[in-house]
Each structure stands twice: as structure tokens, then as C-alpha cells.
Amino acid sequence: MELDLSKLDARLDDLDADGYLVDADSTDADQYYLSGFDAPDPFLTLYDGSTHLLFVRSLEFGRAKRESRAETVERFTDYGYDDRLDEYGRQEAAHRTRAAFLDAYDVDTVAVPPRFPLQTADGLREQGIDVLADGQDTLAAVRASKTDEEISHVRAAQEANEAAMAAAEELLGRAEIDGNRLRLDGEVLTSERLKEEIEVTLLRRGCALDETIVACGSDAADPHDRGSGPLAPDEPIIVDIFPQDKATKYHGDMTRTFCVGEPDEQVREWYDLTERAYRAALDAVEPGATGADVHDVVCDVYEDADLPTLRDDPGAETGFIHSTGHGVGLDVHELPSVGPDGGELEPGHVITIEPGLYDPEVGGVRIEDLVVVTDDGYENLTDYPVSLVVE
Amino acid sequence: MELDLSKLDARLDDLDADGYLVDADSTDADQYYLSGFDAPDPFLTLYDGSTHLLFVRSLEFGRAKRESRAETVERFTDYGYDDRLDEYGRQEAAHRTRAAFLDAYDVDTVAVPPRFPLQTADGLREQGIDVLADGQDTLAAVRASKTDEEISHVRAAQEANEAAMAAAEELLGRAEIDGNRLRLDGEVLTSERLKEEIEVTLLRRGCALDETIVACGSDAADPHDRGSGPLAPDEPIIVDIFPQDKATKYHGDMTRTFCVGEPDEQVREWYDLTERAYRAALDAVEPGATGADVHDVVCDVYEDADLPTLRDDPGAETGFIHSTGHGVGLDVHELPSVGPDGGELEPGHVITIEPGLYDPEVGGVRIEDLVVVTDDGYENLTDYPVSLVVE
């Protein structure tokens, strides 16, 4: 994939920096994006108009030359690391070796992502390199704008997500109500059983995932609770799935709220309101609108119905207590923000729209789609019905 | 779980630091260990003899109070963040808020892990806090020594691993040789098919995993190649599985090398040599021995057979080209090292022993068990036969 790093070039100019440096393994999205290389141990990637990799050991050397997008691939041993060990010990030898690598590319001042490791930064500073934490997180901002190829990767992950959601809903549809329990094939139906079905479905479609949320009752009132134990009839069950395609590393993200049986008046009202907020937010998505604008639309809907929001009360613990959405790509949470600090939306931004309401007395309700901002609005990358009651 | 943080206390004394600070989400093992809390967004954990959490928003507040091991749980808003926004903007307001939090606990000098985020460190320094990158990575060293409870978590993950390895071997055992391909139920048997079987087995036992290695032929000659495509008869197939128990977050780790059909002379010789190196290394594991000692035993076996090692030639790209092993716990690669820099082994250290040989002309062979160092030697946490040819 060809990267458009013009924003990064401009930022380096602004900072009067000679290059941008990443020190991370490839679970770090900046690292995987910039290097185009997948490795389990940290390595350096320097961008100075072209891309240069530096590995501590030789283990990844051959594969990096074949697979990475870098112009040069080198090792500590190529910059005299082994000769420094006796005199300086491992840590200072490593700092001096990294400085020698930067020196070879005439880099005296280097910008780094905000979460760049302190020990590497301090070590380079001791060797006379200026290291600037990039408060604008420019590489993350570059990653926010997806190419057509990246959008197709997200779409593929979201298609697997739709299959997994359907598998979950199908289990719920087959469940029988037995008092305050759901039963499937005689067994009590649990959050764990539903997650297993979801995750096996995703695995068979080439996706991995760290976690899935299947939360019912008071579990669902905490947006970050993954849920556990028996699922209850007549209560909202939040199913939030965010798989990562193992081949491309891009994510999907979708939430539906289901109810088996008869939701009470309150839950129906919350669901209808959340669906209205979700549709209003989608209508607001277009280039030039900010993430904050879209978030405000959701807050308006909820506040008009006299429900608490963080906009209205920063200490709120019930009501609408998170942002409207976030970017999705190599990270499942990335730029741009669709919240109070969200900047201007641009074509190619892939974002979630996910209003929700929470209260331990009621449970939780959330509806989430994944969309891409287009030249004149948005395209919804999610093809799944919005409906509370499971038939 | 009760943590023994006496090593951390001693290190803080040595550094004349008032506390140890972590800024990370809970995928960071230091953060999860010290805070006892699982959250997807970064938060601060301060250890000053007791443990204090600081969250940016209220979202995790209630759950953190219930679930974390912290003595205090607080939010940015409790330290005046919102009042600073207009005057200082988000970033400096955040820095000043973190400094106010440290000040409330009388922390002027703080030690941090080597990979602590630079922007947070620089921001605190501007507010007059001394921030020291802990070059000894003391918290990781503390995590290396496992309690009985942690060992039981590792054991549970390894039992799931054994089931997954058995499922993989069973598929290989049912495969038919068809020319240079293996077939199962008429279909060409691929690395992907075997990985799916492994991963579904693990999921059904409560384990997640990022990656599994099923590598055959020249793929297997690169220890970090995950493998892809059809599996061949008569060639060594490396199966390396490192699941994470989803409930406890502790890992297992095991590798076996299988051959369906007739391995050639060279592969048999490499396997026998690797099994000898593996048994010799196990025999060397005991408290007081260093990781370097155990690694040397493996290098001796290979070098005596005139095979290249990194010890003999730091630029070697074939032969024994990695360390003998590593610690396993919340991270799948953690301290202690069982390699050239490995320090003294202590009871409670959980380590892999995994010698191997690699050459694109031959393929790869590796045997890996997971063991815990005991008072008088080691206990093997792995119960799986060591045998090359699949019956």
C-alpha cells in the first residue's frame, strides 16, 4: 500500500525536525503502518522522506527485507553495538547505537509520537539528539484518513462482524424463556455461551478479537463491562463486537441491543430515543462537520428528553456517559474523535456512531454502526437491521 | 491477589524516588499487575507504598472502585482539570492535573518503567516533577516471580494449550499423503486449517490468542513466520501455541515439531539434537543458575555438533538463532531472560525452554516446554509427548 505522508512531511517542517521516529513492536498501529512490518519485539522506524528500519538482533532481518515497506533494513550490529558492549554496557551501548543510526541519516532533531518510550528518548538526548514529543500525534492523524484499500479491509472485517452478530441473534431467537432465565437446548443461556458462538464465527472468517461484550441487566449499565453469567428475558442485552482481520489487521465495530421477550416501557423508550439519536447523528456526518458537531446532535436528542449527558454534567454516571464515536482502523479506538474534542471530519475517515444510555436500575441500550465519510456525506459500512425485540 | 512489592520498595529507596508511576491501558502488563484493573483506555497508577488510580473520565470510575486493588480511585475532575481547560488547553491542563495528583501524595520524584510515554514525562517535568526512567525495569522483575495463584493461572492456560496441541496432532494423524500434499477429508490440509482447529479449541476453553505458528518447509526456517498454505508430508511442521486465558490474562506457551510421513536423515538428526539440547537445558534449570548458564548448555550441544549459534557468530542467519527461552506470565514474553543476558533464576520464575534449529534448505525444528523454577530445580508445567513422527 502506498502511504500519503504529506501531513507528516508538513509537520516535520513546522517542527524543524529531520525525521519522525517510532520505537515499538508492530502491535503499535503507528509502527505497523509506517514500517509495513509485523514483528513481536520492538524495533526502530525512522521516516525522513523515506523509511528506515533498525533491529536489535538479526532474527527479523531477512523477513523485514522481504516484507516491510522500508527502503533500508539494518541491525544494531551494523552500527557497532557489539563493539560498545564492554565499554558502555547494554543500555548505553544501545543508546549510542541508535544515535549512530540517526546520525547516518543526518538526523539531529527527531519528532516522536506522544507515547514514545521515555528511556529511548532520554538516551538519545544524552547523545545530543533533540527528541520532540509530537503533541499533535500527527502519525495517528495521518492514519485516520483511509485509502480505498484500507476501507476495503475495514469492510471485510465488518462483514465478518455481521455474520457473528447474526449467529448471536440466531441463538437468542432459538432461546426459550424459563422464568427469569433463557435456555437453549435445555442449558441456561449465558453471556459466555453467546460470546463463544460469536468468536468461533469470527475465527472461521479469519478474524481475531480480544474481547466481545455481551452484557445484560446491570452489567450493561457499564459501557466497558464485558458481561458474564446468565442472560435474562425481557431485559436489554448489549452485543458489541469489534473483530480484527488477522491478515490485514484492520478492525470492524458494531453494537446491537437485543431483547428476548417483552421489554418494559422504559427500555422501549430508551431504545427509540437511542435509535433517533443514532439516525440524527448519521444525518450530521459529512465533510466539514466536526466530530463535536455530530456529538452535539446526540446530546441534543437525549437532553431534549431530560436525560443526563456528560455535556450537561461532566460528573454524570448515568444517561449518555461516553462519546458518540471514534475512528476505527488498525486500532479499534483511533482518530478522529466523535466527541466534545472532535475536529473536522474528512473524506476517508472511518468512524463509529454509537449513542447509548446506561443506568444500573434499567440496564443499557446502545446502537452502533461503522461508516466512512465520503465527499458528500457518508457511506454506511454496516449492513445489519436495527431492531430491539428478537423474533 | 496479594502482591509482594518489596523489590519495588527497595528500588524506590535506591533511586530516592517517592513513588512509581504507570501511564498505560491494561493491555500493558505492568499496569494490569499494579492496578489490578482492566480498562481499554490509558490511566495513571501511582504506587507509593499503597496504590492510587487516576482516570481521565468518569466512565471507569465505579467499576474501578469495585474491581481494582487500589486504595484510592480518582478522576481528572477531582483535581481541577475542567477549570484549567480554558486557560491551558487540553494537553497542559492534563499535565497540571497529573502533577496536582502526584503533589497530593507528596510525590516530587517519580520512577517509571522504561517505556513510559514521553509526552506525559516531559509534561510532568515541566511542572517540576523529577521523572526517572527505571533502567532496571523493576516492576517487570517483580512480575517475573510468580505466586502460587499466578502459577495455577499459567498451568490452566497450559492445559488448554495441551488440548489444542492434541487437536492439531489429531488432524495431522488423520491426514493422507497425496504426492507433495497432505489431505484431510479430501481437502488440501493447510496451515490455516490447523490454526483454526487450534484456535477454536482454545476459545472453547476460555483462551484467546493473537497468533499461532503452524509453519512448514522454508516458513519454519524463520522462527517468527506464522506459516501459511499447504502442509507437506515428510517435512517438519512447527506448531507453536501461546494462548492467553481470558479470565486471568496469564499465558501458556508450547512448541512441538511434527512430521507426517518419513523425515529425512538431516531432519531426524536435527530433531534428536534439539531434543538433547532441550533435556540438557531442563537439567540445568535450578535456583542460582543463571538464564545465561542454561542458554550456554544449549549452545554447547549445538556447537559440539558443528552447528552455528548466535553465541559463536552474532551474525548467524541459520542454526540456533534465538535465545533458549523467556519468562511467561501476563506477557507471553517477559522476564527473566533465558539467553546470553539472563540473570539468576529464582523459585517462582516461569520460563520456557525452547531450543531450535533453522535453515531455509532444511526447514525448522523446535521443542518448547514451560516450567516453573522450584526450590531445588524445576517443575514442568507441560504434559505433552516429545515425538517427531505423527502416528
Side-chain angles (χ1 to χ4, degrees), chain A residues 60 196 199 204 224 246, chain B residues 60 196 199 224 246:
Chain A
E60 316 284 6
E196 183 183 303
E199 293 175 5
R204 296 204 189 279
H224 281 170
K246 289 204 267 188
Chain B
E60 316 284 6
E196 183 183 304
E199 293 175 4
H224 281 169
K246 289 204 269 188

Side-chain angles (χ1 to χ4, degrees), chain A residues 55-74:
Chain A
F55 290 91
V56 176
R57 287 179 296 271
S58 298
L59 190 54
E60 316 284 6
F61 187 57
R63 195 165 58 86
K65 281 190 286 189
R66 291 193 305 276
E67 296 178 5
S68 82
R69 69 169 102 262
E71 194 181 16
T72 61
V73 177
E74 296 166 299

Side-chain angles (χ1 to χ4, degrees), chain A residues 244-276:
Chain A
Q244 182 178 37
D245 187 296
K246 289 204 267 188
T248 68
K249 297 188 183 289
Y250 284 81
H251 290 80
D253 198 354
M254 173 175 25
T255 304
R256 289 295 182 265
T257 302
F258 299 117
C259 183
V260 181
E262 284 296 320
D264 68 17
E265 196 61 27
Q266 168 96 81
V267 169
R268 271 190 202 279
E269 202 175 285
W270 275 25
Y271 193 88
D272 292 345
L273 207 54
T274 298
E275 184 172 350
R276 199 184 319 152

Side-chain angles (χ1 to χ4, degrees), chain B residues 19 30 32-33 35 70 145 148 158 164 173 178 187-188 220 234 238 252 264 269 301 326 332 349 360 371 387:
Chain B
D30 283 344
Y32 184 69
Y33 186 81
S35 68
S145 291
D148 288 348
Q158 190 74 337
D178 176 19
E187 302 277 310
V188 171
D234 311 328
I238 290 182
D264 68 16
E269 203 174 285
V301 170
H326 52 82
V332 68
H349 281 174
V371 309
S387 174

Side-chain angles (χ1 to χ4, degrees), chain B residues 54 111 135 227 260 336 382-383:
Chain B
L54 184 69
V260 180
T382 318
D383 181 15

Side-chain angles (χ1 to χ4, degrees), chain B residues 27-64:
Chain B
T27 59
D28 180 283
D30 283 344
Q31 179 64 290
Y32 184 69
Y33 186 81
L34 195 60
S35 68
F37 188 60
D38 190 7
D41 297 311
F43 58 99
L44 286 191
T45 298
L46 170 67
Y47 172 75
D48 68 347
S50 53
T51 307
H52 313 283
L53 307 191
L54 184 69
F55 290 91
V56 176
R57 286 180 298 271
S58 299
L59 189 54
E60 316 284 6
F61 187 56
R63 195 165 57 87

Side-chain angles (χ1 to χ4, degrees), chain A residues 192-229:
Chain A
E192 289 79 359
R193 173 71 185 86
L194 219 59
K195 285 192 245 188
E196 183 183 303
E197 190 72 19
I198 289 165
E199 293 175 5
V200 169
T201 304
L202 289 171
L203 261 185
R204 296 204 189 279
R205 281 169 173 75
C207 287
L209 75 180
D210 283 339
E211 294 289 348
T212 305
I213 294 172
V214 176
C216 178
S218 64
D219 282 357
D222 179 337
H224 281 170
D225 194 311
R226 274 76 185 237
S228 61

Side-chain angles (χ1 to χ4, degrees), chain A residues 23 38 60 63 91 114-116 118-119 122 125 135 196 199 203-204 222 224 226 246 341, chain B residues 23 38 60 63 90-91 114-116 118-119 122 125 135 196 199 203-204 222 224 226 246:
Chain A
D23 172 358
D38 191 6
E60 316 284 6
R63 195 165 58 86
Q91 272 174 25
R115 299 188 70 81
F116 188 87
L118 178 63
Q119 183 167 271
D122 280 351
R125 285 169 174 172
E196 183 183 303
E199 293 175 5
L203 261 185
R204 296 204 189 279
D222 179 337
H224 281 170
R226 274 76 185 237
K246 289 204 267 188
D341 303 313
Chain B
D23 172 358
D38 190 7
E60 316 284 6
R63 195 165 57 87
R90 285 175 59 219
Q91 271 173 26
R115 299 188 71 82
F116 188 86
L118 179 62
Q119 183 167 271
D122 280 351
R125 285 169 175 173
E196 183 183 304
E199 293 175 4
L203 261 185
R204 295 204 190 279
D222 179 337
H224 281 169
R226 272 74 185 239
K246 289 204 269 188

